[in-house]
Amino acid sequence: MSDGSEIAAVIESVRERVTPDAAERELLDEVAAELEARAERAVADLPVDADVVRVGSTARGTWLAGDRDVDLFVRFPADLPREDLERYGLAVGHEVLPAGHEEYAEHPYVKGEYRGFDVDCVPCHDVESAAAIRSAVDRTPFHNAYLRERLDEATAGDVRVAKAFLKAHRAYGANLRTRGFAGYLVELLVLEHGGLVHLLEAAADWNPPVRFDPEDHGVREFDDPLVVVDPTDPERNVAAALSATNLARLQHYSRELLAAPRASLFEPREPDPLSAADVREAVADRATTPVAVRFDAPDVVDDQLYPQLDRSLSGLHDGLERRGFDPLRSERFAAETAVLFVECAVAERPRIRRHEGPPVGVRAHAEGFYEKYEDAPDVYGPFVEEGRYVVERRRQFRTPAAFCEADALFDVSLGPHVASALESGYEVYAGPEVAALAAEFGVELARYFDPVP
Amino acid sequence: MSDGSEIAAVIESVRERVTPDAAERELLDEVAAELEARAERAVADLPVDADVVRVGSTARGTWLAGDRDVDLFVRFPADLPREDLERYGLAVGHEVLPAGHEEYAEHPYVKGEYRGFDVDCVPCHDVESAAAIRSAVDRTPFHNAYLRERLDEATAGDVRVAKAFLKAHRAYGANLRTRGFAGYLVELLVLEHGGLVHLLEAAADWNPPVRFDPEDHGVREFDDPLVVVDPTDPERNVAAALSATNLARLQHYSRELLAAPRASLFEPREPDPLSAADVREAVADRATTPVAVRFDAPDVVDDQLYPQLDRSLSGLHDGLERRGFDPLRSERFAAETAVLFVECAVAERPRIRRHEGPPVGVRAHAEGFYEKYEDAPDVYGPFVEEGRYVVERRRQFRTPAAFCEADALFDVSLGPHVASALESGYEVYAGPEVAALAAEFGVELARYFDPVP
């Protein structure tokens, strides 16, 4: 462990790199003010009252230099019917962002580019408190207000460095692809610990589950490894979407940083993409049997796509496990195509499989089992082992690829969009054939075959 | 289920076949009387009192036609020191059987041939009751007396047929190779159920554990699937050595016989031995990876050899299982050589194996694990999965044969005589190479590859 000055110097150097300079701040202020004004003009034309609030990291001074996101929320009366809110919200959105397009979270909203900034224009309800929300987005203005009251310039700087740290280790972002730390969660953790170094020191020592409740108002238990009770809503865990793995990453890299402070730990690792030959070499070195199911990526937003890929991957993994192919590790990739990739330890199973029947002493069951298999073709047995009937039957799938190529693939738990994409056709690659994935997923495969925490 | 007459006819036909004819009985009586007289003369020369009792099935009229065993017990005073009992017992034995040799159960005794009969001459203590025995053989005269009082000619006939039935299905004999039904156990079960048909009907319905206590004097619980409390010793389960498999065999074949009575169920199945080519064909049909460890059979009696083979086989099975070769079934064979035979489902493992470390949150452990593998050569990772460190290390054994050929074989649980036999050298056969076993174990392999209950 170094003394405090060493880590302070590293943090200071990172802070300089990730803090927007004056020109960037000015540009942001200017663009944000224009957007707010456009939104307010559009609101004025509506038959209902509404106000416009800027939210998100650019509104709170905690964005990373180079990020160019502006989030505008249009707050409508709490009793406005949902259909009206959606209609008015989209109307405002399209006026603010004439070239924008509609996306859908809990409500539809408009997303578009404006002077080089990515802008979201989102309608919400102006509710009494975050506990009274009608949809998840209603909560955001409360988060914003809570943090604006508490974040000073030094803390905002620590938040930026913390975000850069998590980003470097692919643990930043509450989206369902990453399942990392939300910006709001980072802000709360830095505030709760009184600065970044204290947070890192604490995180290095956490033995999950760990719970924080900044306003000391939590009213329920959570199962999650990290619990941070939302200061604006006692019912909610801000870290609910965080994966155990990303929490562990924060802990691991906190220890690394405290043990030997260095700026490199704040820089993303960008591996060189593997070539097809590299992939073949990696597979040969491991002598495993990877199998990949590749199909056209379903045309849905990432927050829909990745949970479905995860569910499908886990279904495929379990299916291969149940058939005895002993998966070592699995991963999903998505770009133009989507891939469920499972690396199996077992390349081939015998022609037979053991099938244990009931204890001979359970007469009705036992007689039924014996009669079923007594004269069945292609069956060894029934014989008796430790008081039970056992038979050895023909096995359905002798290789991982045979399983993936069969209709059995559709019996595993798949996300609905993945299932329909697979129905339109898919390719199966096995063993060295997975090298074909390198053209599209060379970087992902580099990460897979040279894994770090 | 047939009516009673059909099964009665089958049993009657078997009874005729297995009941010794008058000539055989006469010869036995004559030989047994001679042996008793020889023993009594030898006893008269000793400085202590002793008497001679004939025990076993030939003494009780329950032996199978063709069996030629005579068991003579020489009963010495209960307070005779063990050394004297052994010395006097052997002296009598050698006088009765001048060409006999010494064997060792709980005491040494003399075994030899006399006029074509296999004769055991065993010393025991003349104790008050079977509960007061000084060694297991002291119990035998009590068993004998108990049964002689109760067995009439009809029951003795049923006992013979029951023994033939169990013998046909390789479930007869309490020796540690078979772990089947002891003769005494069969006699008690037939008595308890009032005849063979009632026993078969009851056995077909048993749902183990099953308990009988003919004298209603049992004083403890037993874990065994079948419990028959010894009428001469309330502390003892007569069926303690019976395996769950042999109990299940009685149940299975009882049902078969009751469903379709036929004499063939009383005839041993003697399969044709497999040739080497047959074995290769069977292995190819199953597409498994059998592995066999073959060594000179240790020169010890079967009751020592088979428990050690069983223990070693189970150690090898577990060792192969732990290394991921997924044993399907295993068997041991012994004649001139002894063989531990394990049929694996997995022929080859990858070059790597997964090794899960501690949760990252358990700091001291986690740091130790990470440091150990961080710069280790030939290791993938450490990486994080579900909050734990994981590495992929080089695997030690990639095939079942590699494991068997390595010193690791000596780390599995082996019987001591098996371990020292292996130390003198052994052969490993894998896959189709196991065909080489057919020359010595063709019948055993036929049973293995065409298993029946």
Side-chain angles (χ1 to χ4, degrees), chain A residues 205-206 245 252 255 284-287 326 328-329 345 349-351 354 360-361 363 380 386 389 392 394, chain B residues 205-206 245 252 255 284-286 326 328-329 345 349-351 354 360-361 363 380 386 389 392 394:
Chain A
D205 256 346
W206 288 342
T245 295
H252 170 81
R255 290 177 197 154
D285 180 60
R286 296 162 69 85
D326 195 8
L328 283 171
R329 222 175 345 133
R349 302 287 305 178
R351 195 164 288 121
R354 251 179 97 86
V360 174
R363 183 165 186 172
Y380 290 92
E386 291 175 14
Y389 285 126
E392 292 157 346
R394 296 283 147 167
Chain B
D205 256 345
W206 288 341
T245 295
H252 170 81
R255 290 176 196 155
D285 180 60
R286 296 161 69 83
D326 194 7
L328 282 171
R329 224 183 332 144
R349 300 287 305 179
R351 196 164 286 121
R354 251 180 98 88
V360 174
R363 185 165 185 174
Y380 291 92
E386 291 176 13
Y389 285 127
E392 291 158 346
R394 296 283 148 168

Side-chain angles (χ1 to χ4, degrees), chain A residues 149-169:
Chain A
E149 257 173 50
R150 287 161 179 85
L151 285 171
D152 56 24
E153 187 56 31
T155 313
D158 272 6
V159 166
R160 283 198 174 94
V161 177
K163 288 181 177 178
F165 187 60
L166 291 164
K167 210 167 182 177
H169 305 300

Side-chain angles (χ1 to χ4, degrees), chain B residues 269-420:
Chain B
R269 170 183 169 264
E270 286 298 344
D272 293 334
L274 294 194
S275 67
D278 295 334
V279 172
R280 273 190 295 272
E281 196 181 310
V283 171
D285 180 60
R286 296 161 69 83
T288 52
T289 303
V291 64
V293 173
R294 186 188 215 178
F295 49 99
D296 288 338
D299 185 21
V300 293
V301 297
D302 281 4
D303 269 4
Q304 285 197 57
L305 176 62
Y306 281 93
Q308 291 198 28
L309 290 177
D310 285 336
R311 180 172 152 197
S312 308
L313 184 66
S314 147
L316 178 59
H317 184 110
D318 291 354
L320 289 164
E321 179 134 60
R322 272 205 306 281
R323 267 78 176 185
F325 299 114
D326 194 7
L328 282 171
R329 224 183 332 144
S330 54
E331 191 52 273
R332 37 58 172 177
F333 311 128
E336 287 302 303
T337 68
V339 172
L340 306 176
F341 183 94
V342 183
E343 191 181 15
C344 296
V346 172
E348 195 180 53
R349 300 287 305 179
R351 196 164 286 121
I352 55 166
R353 67 181 186 85
R354 251 180 98 88
H355 176 46
E356 295 198 358
V360 174
V362 182
R363 185 165 185 174
H365 266 103
E367 288 184 334
F369 183 89
Y370 185 78
E371 278 156 26
K372 178 169 176 188
Y373 291 108
E374 183 183 5
D375 298 313
D378 287 335
V379 165
Y380 291 92
F383 54 95
V384 177
E385 253 187 39
E386 291 176 13
R388 282 180 176 274
Y389 285 127
V390 178
V391 291
E392 291 158 346
R393 297 163 62 183
R394 296 283 148 168
R395 171 180 293 278
Q396 200 179 359
F397 303 113
R398 294 194 55 201
T399 63
F403 174 76
C404 293
E405 280 157 3
D407 284 347
L409 181 62
F410 292 91
D411 296 335
V412 312
S413 168
L414 297 170
H417 288 97
V418 171
S420 51

